[in-house]
Every structure is written in C-alpha cells, then in structure tokens.
Amino acid sequence: MLIDGPTKTIATPFAECVARCEWQQTIFAEAPRRLDLLRLEAAWQLHPFRIRVVRNQSFELVATPLERFLAFQGLDTTFVYSDYDDSMTTRPTSAFDLDIIWFDFEHYRNLETSDLAGWLRERVASVRADSDAAILLTDWPSDSPEGNAFNTLIRRELATVPGVWVVPQHDLLTSLGPDFFDKRSESIAGFKLSDQAAIATAQCFGLRWIPAVTSPPLKAVFVDLDNTLYSGILGEDGPANVHLTAAHQELQQRLVKLHEQGVLLAVVTRNEPDDVATLFRSRTDFPLRLEQISGVWASWEPKHKGITSLARQFHIGVEAVLFVDDNLGELTAVAGELGNIPSLHASNPEMTARALHMYPGLTHLDATREDTLRFADISSDRERRDVAQRSAGPTEYLRELGIRLSFSINPRKDTPRILALSHKTNQFNMALSRLSEKALAQRMGDQECSIVTAALQDRLSDSGIIALLVGRRSRDRLRIEECCISCRALGREVEDIIITEAIRKMLHVTPADGVDFVVADGPRNGPALAWLSRYTEDRAAAIVTVNWPAMLSALASKRSLVTIDWSADR
C-alpha cells in the first residue's frame, strides 16, 4: 500500500509491522539493488522532511535511494539543491530540517591540505550562520596522503563549529575498494561513484548518519533467544545442544559492541528463567555474557508485557527500545498491543547482524561519557530499590545512598551531553524545546542567560551529567527556558534539590524578582508537569510562575542530606 497523495490510507499496526519487516530484507541488505529499493512502497504515514544539499558534484543518484531509506523512518523527503559551486556560496532561504555538504575535494588539489581545511571551516561556518539545521559534511573518500591528512584536519577544524558533523564516507571506500569508483560513469555523467557506492552512501545517510542527528536515539535492544541468538530451541534441545553458528556468533558480537557503546541489552524470551540462567552460565563460547545483559524477562506471558516491564525498569519508554525476534507473529502481537515500536525481524542471523549495525537510532556520531555509564547505573537500580524498601522514609533513603551532586554553570566542554539531555529526555522535560547546537552556542554567549548542569553520584554508581537547566533574565524575572532531568535520576528523591539549587545559583549570577517556567504539554512529560504542579496553581499558560519561597523551603529541608559542590562560574 503506498501512502502518497492528498488522501492517505493508514495501515493497521499489524499490517504496518508486516510491511516494515518486508522492507528490512531490502534496506538492510549487504548491497541493496536500486531497482529493489525503487519498488518499495510505504504502508505508513510519511511526514515532510526537507534537505538542502550544498554541492559541487551531482547528488541525485544518492538522493533517489536515500528517499526510500528515510521513508522507513516515516519521512517524506524533499531535496533542494544549490548550484554546482566550488566556492560553497549559499543564500538565505526557507527553513530546512537538514543540510548536507556534498563536495568532491579532488577539485582543490592545488591547495595545501591545511589551507583547504581552514578554507572549508570558514565556508561551513558561513552555512552554519545561514541555517539552524544540523549539518552533515562527508569526508574525502581517498587513500592518498592528502586525503587522509585532510580528513584528520577537517574534523579538528570543525570541532568548534556548532551543529556540524563530519561523516565517514571514506569508510565506504575502504569496504568497497576498487568498486567504489566508476571511471566510465565519470567520463559520461561526471559522477565518480559507482552505483553500488552511491547506494551504500545513501544507506549510511538514511539509516545511520541522518537519524543520529535528527531523531531520538534508541536506548535499548530487547532480543529473543531461540533461533535468534543461536540455532535451536532451549526448552527442547537443552543449553548444551543449541548451535552457535558463525553467523550467530557475529550477531552476538554486534550486540556486545552495542553494549560497549552504552546501549542497554535485555532478553525477552518464552523460556523458563532457570534454563536461561543455565544457558549463559554454561555456554562459554557465547560472545554475549550474562553480565552484559541489563535485564531478563523469561516467561510464557505475552511478550509485550515483558517489554513494558523491562522498559519501566530501565526508566525508558517503549519507543526507545528495538525489539528483535525471529518470529513475525511475536512482532505483530507486540505491535498490536504497543503500536509500532521499533522492531527487527531476525529472519536470518547475517541480515540481523547487519541491521543492528544500520538500524536507525543505534549510531551515535558523538558518543558521550554518559552513554557508557548507563549500563552500570541500571545494574545498580535493584540495590537502590532494596535500600528504599528497608528505609524508614525519604530522609533515611537519601542518607544511605550517599548522594553527591556536582553542578557546573555554562560548561562549554559538556555541550554534547547538554544537547543529548535536551533531545533525549522525555519524561522530565518541562519545555520540550529540543535545543539546536547553534541555539545552545548563542545562549552560552548571552550574559543574561545561565546554563546549569548537574552530575549525580551515589555509593552504588556514577550516573554522570543527569540534569540541565537553562535560565534567562527577562524583565526582572528569571525565566527557566529548559528544565530536563534524565530518567536515570528519577526515583532518587533529588528533583527538588537539583532544580532549586540550580535556580538559586542562577539568581546569584543574574538577580531577578521571581521565577517562571516555560512549559509544554507532551505525550510523556507527565512527571515534569506533576513536579511543577507542587509549586504553582495555574498551569493554563505556556509560561508559569512558581512559588519560589516554597521551593527554597523544600531545598532547605533536604540540602543537608546530600553533598553539593559547584565548579567555577564563568
């Protein structure tokens, strides 16, 4: 069913799940064929997505398959092209969702590598000034010394330009080798890339690079066991006799890689819990170890219950989970209960391993320290629950946890984490403003604005930076434009301390007569709005005045229960 034109027919969750699984065989193929991609028709709602391509070479042969890869994520893509221009001149135009800088750097071989990198930084900064969208720049796919040196230099040069990412097209040259370029196509059409290279580039753009900068990331992978992680049925064959093929071994290694990158792993299986525990204890040949798995749901209940239970345990929404199962019936049953959450039909281990490398939301172009802390934090949650159960109340609970809150004001070095909190936090996110890197840089330079982060440690784990507040003085009022606390910190009774201590410091830096919050209603930010309701009676407006003395009183009652330190002010 094609979703196109003014009248759109929306598939049921069951039909959409089946259609998406059918697409996966094509879009996650090792070498997708252009004709196969063009035959794909989306059976789900598509939303407009505008990409500007700033170029000095043709992009159309990449754009056509790219449309299909982006359609998998529900995007109806329109491309707007610059002129072919080696000077990279742009003119102010209407807003775009993304900018791609698509340049053939062979045009600049007359320049020294350092001069080319410096010139390109200036031109990219010019594009940045013209656009609020994320910018992706492909590196130089060349094995020449000049190309390798340039790729190193340009990443260093652009590190300080907000909202710009250099994506590794050179890696595709490494994997495709001599098949990357097509001399015949260059002589006829002026396009150097082979068709295989153009499609591989579109695949990386559509499934990995673009989602990494425009969409919320996936935080967890929940995976089935039987005929997914190995060949065989645990309950029938027994732990010793399920077969780990070479392809299944590669699949498990891919999961281990995701774990190392900070993605949470869990098992959702129709098996006996004791059998699952025995399996991982006894199969020392499995690359995936039990200690790398944050949760196991082994039950004969419907799997949607396990997914919901584990997601709640991890403090994430089910939309942040990729569910992997070899049984299409299980996938459609989950879709019927939970809607079309991200899912992967593990029809064969080779395709599944590739898909786990390519699946939208699993690529992080900027890995943060907090991504690697998430697993240890989740692993400590069980012990925290035990502490809460044996504590007489919140006061004793806070004292026993030994919490330390480390605050920083205007910490430029933490820009990647600040942006991640603004974009990834859903439950405790007051304004849902989703700051762009350009907007954040502007606030960092505004003397009327203060940006505060808070990092959290307790005796069980280091959670890293878990909170963000952005405040601006406006007409003698302090307006909190952004207030986010990571779901990992919720449940530790520290929301009052974090928010009020941060605002107290802001008022010291930029004195004001009162405190207001910018508020937006979202599908999942109920916890933030519930907290706010404790300090205000009026929630009708988009800007809400809070009872600041009451907030200070709440802080005074709890501040001595935790250790608080501040880094130097600006």
Side-chain angles (χ1 to χ4, degrees):
M1 182 190 314
L2 177 64
I3 303 301
D4 198 8
T7 305
K8 298 181 183 291
T9 304
I10 310 303
T12 64
F14 176 92
E16 180 176 334
C17 179
V18 172
R20 286 183 179 275
C21 289
E22 290 174 349
W23 270 51
Q24 291 173 16
Q25 298 298 320
T26 299
I27 66 170
F28 294 126
E30 185 173 10
R33 297 195 315 158
R34 185 176 293 270
L35 184 58
D36 292 338
L37 289 165
L38 295 179
R39 287 171 175 161
L40 294 175
E41 296 181 347
W44 48 85
Q45 180 71 59
L46 300 180
H47 304 281
F49 189 76
R50 286 168 52 83
I51 297 177
R52 176 173 61 170
V53 182
V54 181
R55 62 179 180 170
N56 70 353
Q57 61 176 329
S58 174
F59 190 77
E60 283 80 356
L61 289 175
V62 176
T64 304
L66 177 54
E67 290 178 2
R68 296 309 196 270
F69 292 116
L70 290 174
F72 181 70
Q73 302 156 69
L75 301 179
D76 182 9
T77 308
T78 300
F79 294 96
V80 177
Y81 295 101
S82 74
D83 296 332
Y84 292 102
D85 185 0
D86 285 339
S87 68
M88 199 186 296
T89 301
T90 61
R91 300 177 180 84
T93 56
S94 56
F96 296 97
D97 298 293
L98 178 74
D99 281 307
I100 292 176
I101 298 177
W102 177 251
F103 265 49
D104 180 356
F105 296 108
E106 296 286 344
H107 292 200
Y108 308 94
R109 277 196 171 273
N110 61 317
L111 294 178
E112 294 292 333
T113 301
S114 58
D115 292 338
L116 174 58
W119 171 84
L120 185 60
R121 185 195 185 283
E122 292 180 3
R123 299 314 306 150
V124 172
S126 176
V127 176
R128 170 75 295 152
D130 178 39
S131 172
D132 289 330
I135 298 173
L136 295 181
L137 166 72
T138 52
D139 63 7
W140 190 345
S142 169
D143 284 331
S144 69
E146 297 89 348
N148 291 331
F150 171 80
N151 288 339
T152 299
L153 275 175
I154 195 58
R155 284 176 168 83
R156 188 183 309 157
E157 288 281 347
L158 293 178
T160 58
V161 181
V164 178
W165 289 266
V166 181
V167 294
Q169 192 184 21
H170 179 269
D171 290 353
L172 298 178
L173 171 64
T174 302
S175 62
L176 293 177
D179 293 332
F180 187 85
F181 293 113
D182 185 343
K183 291 183 177 180
R184 188 173 66 89
S185 173
E186 181 181 4
S187 62
I188 297 173
F191 185 67
K192 294 181 176 181
L193 274 61
S194 67
D195 194 53
Q196 185 178 358
I199 294 171
T201 300
Q203 188 180 42
C204 285
F205 264 126
L207 300 181
R208 303 187 66 214
W209 302 335
I210 292 176
V213 299
T214 61
S215 304
L218 294 175
K219 298 180 179 179
V221 174
F222 292 179
V223 62
D224 176 45
L225 288 182
D226 295 341
N227 289 318
T228 299
L229 285 189
Y230 48 76
S231 177
I233 307 296
L234 177 61
E236 297 176 3
D237 302 322
N241 295 318
V242 297
H243 183 40
L244 182 70
T245 67
H248 285 105
Q249 185 174 35
E250 182 181 354
L251 167 57
Q252 291 196 24
Q253 288 169 342
R254 172 53 54 186
L255 288 168
V256 171
K257 181 80 169 177
L258 289 172
H259 161 73
E260 292 170 348
Q261 294 169 351
V263 176
L264 299 171
L265 303 181
V267 166
V268 177
T269 180
R270 291 183 184 274
N271 274 297
E272 296 294 336
D274 289 345
D275 289 347
V276 175
T278 300
L279 172 72
F280 281 99
R281 282 197 307 266
S282 62
R283 292 302 295 263
T284 57
D285 57 331
F286 277 17
L288 182 62
R289 311 300 301 156
L290 192 59
E291 57 268 22
Q292 295 162 330
I293 298 172
S294 298
V296 174
W297 188 86
S299 171
W300 299 102
E301 296 263 3
K303 287 190 176 181
H304 74 86
K305 293 186 177 181
I307 293 170
T308 303
S309 174
L310 287 167
R312 188 180 303 116
Q313 178 183 324
F314 295 168
H315 308 295
I316 60 178
V318 294
E319 72 282 347
V321 173
L322 173 61
F323 175 43
V324 184
D325 201 302
D326 71 294
N327 189 325
L328 184 57
E330 295 283 15
L331 296 173
T332 55
V334 167
E337 295 292 337
L338 302 180
N340 273 286
I341 67 169
S343 59
L344 175 59
H345 185 207
S347 56
N348 66 75
E350 293 88 354
M351 187 279 291
T352 306
R354 287 195 304 275
L356 287 173
H357 177 62
M358 287 282 178
Y359 204 97
L362 290 180
T363 295
H364 292 216
L365 295 180
D366 284 327
T368 65
R369 174 174 175 266
E370 279 67 25
D371 291 328
T372 62
L373 294 175
R374 187 179 296 116
F375 173 76
D377 214 19
I378 292 295
S379 300
S380 302
D381 267 356
R382 183 181 298 278
E383 191 169 350
R384 288 193 191 96
R385 289 195 295 270
D386 292 342
V387 170
Q389 288 177 356
R390 65 174 180 262
S391 297
T395 298
E396 184 181 337
Y397 173 69
L398 285 174
R399 284 201 178 105
E400 187 169 347
L401 280 183
I403 289 176
R404 174 181 292 273
L405 292 169
S406 301
F407 291 86
S408 297
I409 190 163
N410 303 306
R412 292 181 183 275
K413 63 181 177 60
D414 295 324
T415 291
R417 180 55 181 164
I418 291 171
L419 292 170
L421 280 168
S422 180
H423 285 263
K424 298 178 183 179
T425 307
N426 294 306
Q427 296 181 56
F428 205 106
N429 190 326
M430 208 74 71
L432 300 171
S433 61
R434 311 303 191 195
L435 289 172
S436 69
E437 193 164 347
K438 180 182 177 181
L440 177 61
Q442 291 171 339
R443 284 165 171 77
M444 285 282 189
D446 186 345
Q447 292 298 312
E448 297 296 304
C449 189
S450 296
I451 297 173
V452 173
T453 62
L456 171 65
Q457 289 178 285
D458 61 27
R459 67 176 179 80
L460 300 177
S461 70
D462 180 354
S463 301
I465 297 173
I466 48 77
L468 163 69
L469 279 87
V470 178
R472 182 194 302 275
R473 184 167 54 190
S474 175
R475 296 181 181 178
D476 295 325
R477 306 282 298 178
L478 178 64
R479 180 173 295 177
I480 305 303
E481 299 178 336
E482 184 85 303
C483 178
C484 306
I485 300 178
S486 169
C487 58
R488 301 209 308 272
L490 301 183
R492 282 186 249 183
E493 307 291 339
V494 291
E495 294 88 346
D496 281 335
I497 305 174
I498 291 171
I499 296 172
T500 310
E501 175 68 13
I503 294 174
R504 188 189 66 80
K505 177 65 75 169
M506 289 180 180
L507 288 171
H508 175 75
V509 175
T510 54
D513 295 335
V515 179
D516 304 324
F517 278 76
V518 177
V519 180
D521 289 297
R524 297 184 296 278
N525 69 338
L529 302 182
W531 177 88
L532 185 66
S533 68
R534 293 159 49 190
Y535 299 105
T536 182
E537 296 181 359
D538 179 16
R539 254 289 290 121
I543 299 176
V544 177
T545 298
V546 295
N547 186 335
W548 177 239
M551 291 178 63
L552 281 175
S553 177
L555 173 64
S557 69
K558 295 180 179 179
R559 198 176 193 277
S560 63
L561 303 177
V562 303
T563 301
I564 291 177
D565 58 62
W566 278 87
S567 65
D569 294 354
R570 63 178 168 190

